[in-house]
Amino acid sequence: MNDENTIDLSQIFYVLSKRKSIIITITLVAVIISGILSFFIMSPVYESQATAIVGKKGDAANSSTQYNDVMMYQNLTKTYATIGTSKLVTGKAAEKLGNGMTSDKLSKLVTVTPETGTQILDITAQGGTPEEAQNRVKALSDAFVENSPSVYNTGEVKIMDQGELPKSAVKPKKALNVAIAFFLGLMVSVGLSFLLEYMDSTLKTPEDIKKHLDLPVLGTIPVHDEM
């Protein structure tokens, strides 16, 4: 009973060795397809980021700013983050950009995210080129500062750092895609190998006869290649 439940490691290595051509082929094909998609098919996406701070009107660093004020503006960052991606702000930013850009299109390419426990907002924008990403984050930042008072004038939004020209694309992550394709291809090919072995009920060796039929092997007939 114990012998039946024991995993035969030699059998596992036997199956892997027997089906190595399938394993190598499927894994290689997966890596090649992933490489072609990542390096030649998928368009690069660049991202530029600016930072803004929400504070008291006038000088946010004034000594009269109290602890309660700081806590209030920290809590207001979520409200201002929503304002930053509102149709009003993205519409004004789209007008600045022109070239057929609309509020709906721009809203899918930009994000405004509050940093937890701070008064700071991260403004990011994506584009097909470094220039596009930078122009979009600048247009959104400017529109955000100009129009937020008309929506909610409790605080004031100021830009701390302007978006810079990105040096490299954030998507696609070529090395990561190839690595994922390699492991997926390996897993699929190994699984397929064991499935084929499980479905193969033919007896090919004396060991197979002894294992599955529990019969002694009286002799074997050698196979000779034809001359």
Side-chain angles (χ1 to χ4, degrees):
M1 187 67 177
N2 291 335
D3 292 338
E4 294 179 359
N5 294 330
T6 302
I7 298 176
D8 191 347
L9 294 178
S10 63
Q11 183 66 19
I12 294 177
F13 288 119
Y14 168 75
V15 173
L16 295 178
S17 176
K18 179 181 177 181
R19 307 288 182 178
K20 64 181 179 181
S21 59
I22 294 178
I23 296 173
I24 293 173
T25 301
I26 293 178
T27 304
L28 188 60
V29 168
V31 169
I32 291 173
I33 292 175
S34 176
I36 292 174
L37 290 175
S38 298
F39 285 88
F40 302 106
I41 305 298
M42 298 175 68
S43 300
V45 176
Y46 295 87
E47 187 175 273
S48 181
Q49 178 174 298
T51 55
I53 186 167
V54 179
K56 190 174 181 178
K57 287 185 177 181
D59 185 4
N62 193 289
S63 58
S64 63
T65 302
Q66 302 296 317
Y67 173 77
N68 289 338
D69 295 331
V70 173
M71 295 300 297
M72 179 185 70
Y73 293 126
Q74 286 181 5
N75 293 329
L76 284 177
T77 53
K78 291 183 179 179
T79 301
Y80 276 96
T82 303
I83 295 173
T85 53
S86 64
K87 285 188 175 292
L88 171 65
V89 174
T90 54
K92 295 294 184 180
E95 290 177 7
K96 293 176 181 289
L97 291 168
N99 295 324
M101 179 60 70
T102 64
S103 173
D104 290 337
K105 288 181 181 178
L106 187 61
S107 63
K108 297 176 182 178
L109 300 170
V110 298
T111 59
V112 179
T113 309
E115 292 187 8
T116 304
T118 72
Q119 298 169 240
I120 298 173
L121 297 167
D122 294 327
I123 305 170
T124 60
Q126 295 182 342
T129 64
E131 291 76 15
E132 273 188 356
Q134 186 183 40
N135 291 338
R136 287 170 182 173
V137 78
K138 185 178 188 308
L140 186 71
S141 300
D142 292 344
F144 186 21
V145 172
E146 293 168 5
N147 294 278
S148 59
S150 65
V151 179
Y152 195 69
N153 63 358
T154 299
E156 183 179 30
V157 179
K158 288 186 177 182
I159 300 300
M160 294 173 55
D161 298 309
Q162 295 287 349
E164 297 182 352
L165 196 69
K167 297 179 181 178
S168 59
V170 294
K171 299 178 184 177
K173 298 184 183 296
K174 300 174 182 178
L176 179 61
N177 290 347
V178 171
I180 292 174
F182 172 79
F183 285 109
L184 285 178
L186 189 62
M187 291 173 62
V188 170
S189 59
V190 169
L192 180 61
S193 297
F194 282 101
L195 178 62
L196 292 174
E197 188 68 20
Y198 175 78
M199 295 176 62
D200 187 1
S201 59
T202 59
L203 304 177
K204 299 182 176 62
T205 66
E207 289 76 14
D208 291 341
I209 296 174
K210 185 176 180 180
K211 178 179 179 181
H212 297 286
L213 302 180
D214 196 23
L215 294 174
V217 178
L218 300 179
T220 60
I221 302 175
V223 177
H224 298 283
D225 293 335
E226 295 183 359
M227 297 300 291

